[in-house]
Amino acid sequence: MVGPETGCSIGGRPRSTDEFDWPCYRGRPMVLLAQLDCSQVGPLLGKEWVLPRDGHLLFFHDDEFVAEFSFDLGDDGCRVVHVPAEHLRHQPGEDLAHAVPGLPLEPLALPSVPTLADREVDPAADRDVIAMLDFYQSLSTRCPAPRHRLLGWCDSTDTPRPKGHRPLLQLEAEAINNWGEIVNISFWIRDEDLRAGNLSKVRRSYEVA
């Protein structure tokens, strides 16, 4: 946890100005799931950070989970919006009925490793199942997964993985969220869209306990 100077949080009131067009899904306001300060997370990732260097990334999702879910493609019940620095407030905006309490996050640079669900593990162990298990156990012991992750590998082997996409943001359930049996929500993006900074085709996936 960090003090009020952080621009990264789960939930909270948006720091955007009154002109911000709040995303809706099927006519209903979406929920602001997370907001990330690009000026804080960008320098941590260096050349790996290909998104804007300033402003905030706002992650919204369909809180009712009415979007049609595909185990191959996730769903479209999400939006990721970049708000330029010149359109930000120094303090969050007014309370909104569709906003949840904020939980500050401290951005840290941490390693990420593939799980047994990732094809990249196969050649490392030459498809030997026992060797693969030992390899993964060795990696996961040295690189424990955080509760929330930006970019990197998918930390859960039980989360459905949209084909042709990579994780953009992974969030575990916290007390401020009301997801019922859903224990994590993740946003996924194609490599070519990430390199181009195109956030219009992000997909959502989630894991049910």
Side-chain angles (χ1 to χ4, degrees):
M1 296 299 176
V2 293
E5 69 278 2
T6 183
C8 301
S9 68
I10 293 178
R13 296 170 295 169
R15 294 175 179 267
S16 57
T17 61
D18 296 334
E19 290 75 25
F20 179 69
D21 187 13
W22 193 278
C24 292
Y25 189 79
R26 298 186 183 179
R28 299 184 55 144
M30 303 180 86
V31 171
L32 177 59
L33 185 56
Q35 43 191 334
L36 302 181
D37 186 337
C38 297
S39 67
Q40 289 183 320
V41 298
L44 293 176
L45 295 173
K47 65 180 182 180
E48 299 299 321
W49 182 254
V50 295
L51 295 175
R53 292 278 172 176
D54 63 12
H56 278 51
L57 289 177
L58 307 184
F59 292 79
F60 295 87
H61 82 112
D62 148 38
D63 195 39
E64 300 297 326
F65 296 92
V66 297
E68 184 176 351
F69 186 80
S70 163
F71 281 92
D72 288 337
L73 297 175
D75 65 45
D76 64 351
C78 62
R79 299 285 186 277
V80 182
V81 180
H82 174 247
V83 179
E86 60 268 24
H87 294 162
L88 293 173
R89 301 177 187 267
H90 291 294
Q91 295 298 325
E94 298 299 320
D95 286 313
L96 295 168
H98 38 276
V100 298
L103 177 66
L105 296 176
E106 179 183 7
L108 296 172
L110 296 174
S112 178
V113 298
T115 70
L116 295 178
D118 293 299
R119 291 176 300 175
E120 287 77 5
V121 173
D122 291 350
D126 198 26
R127 297 187 179 276
D128 183 314
V129 176
I130 300 301
M132 287 174 64
L133 290 171
D134 290 342
F135 176 68
Y136 176 63
Q137 181 63 35
S138 175
L139 285 177
S140 59
T141 299
R142 290 171 170 77
C143 306
R147 286 188 56 76
H148 316 295
R149 188 189 294 280
L150 177 67
L151 297 176
W153 300 92
C154 182
D155 290 317
S156 171
T157 57
D158 296 321
T159 296
R161 301 169 179 225
K163 288 184 178 179
H165 293 68
R166 59 172 294 171
L168 176 60
L169 181 68
Q170 304 172 66
L171 297 174
E172 293 292 315
E174 297 285 359
I176 62 172
N177 297 316
N178 183 21
W179 297 343
E181 296 181 346
I182 295 173
V183 295
N184 64 51
I185 295 177
S186 50
F187 295 74
W188 296 71
I189 190 170
R190 294 183 184 275
D191 275 324
E192 57 267 32
D193 290 332
L194 179 62
R195 290 193 297 269
N198 179 9
L199 301 171
S200 66
K201 301 177 182 178
V202 171
R203 305 290 290 186
R204 177 183 66 175
S205 186
Y206 49 86
E207 180 183 334
V208 179

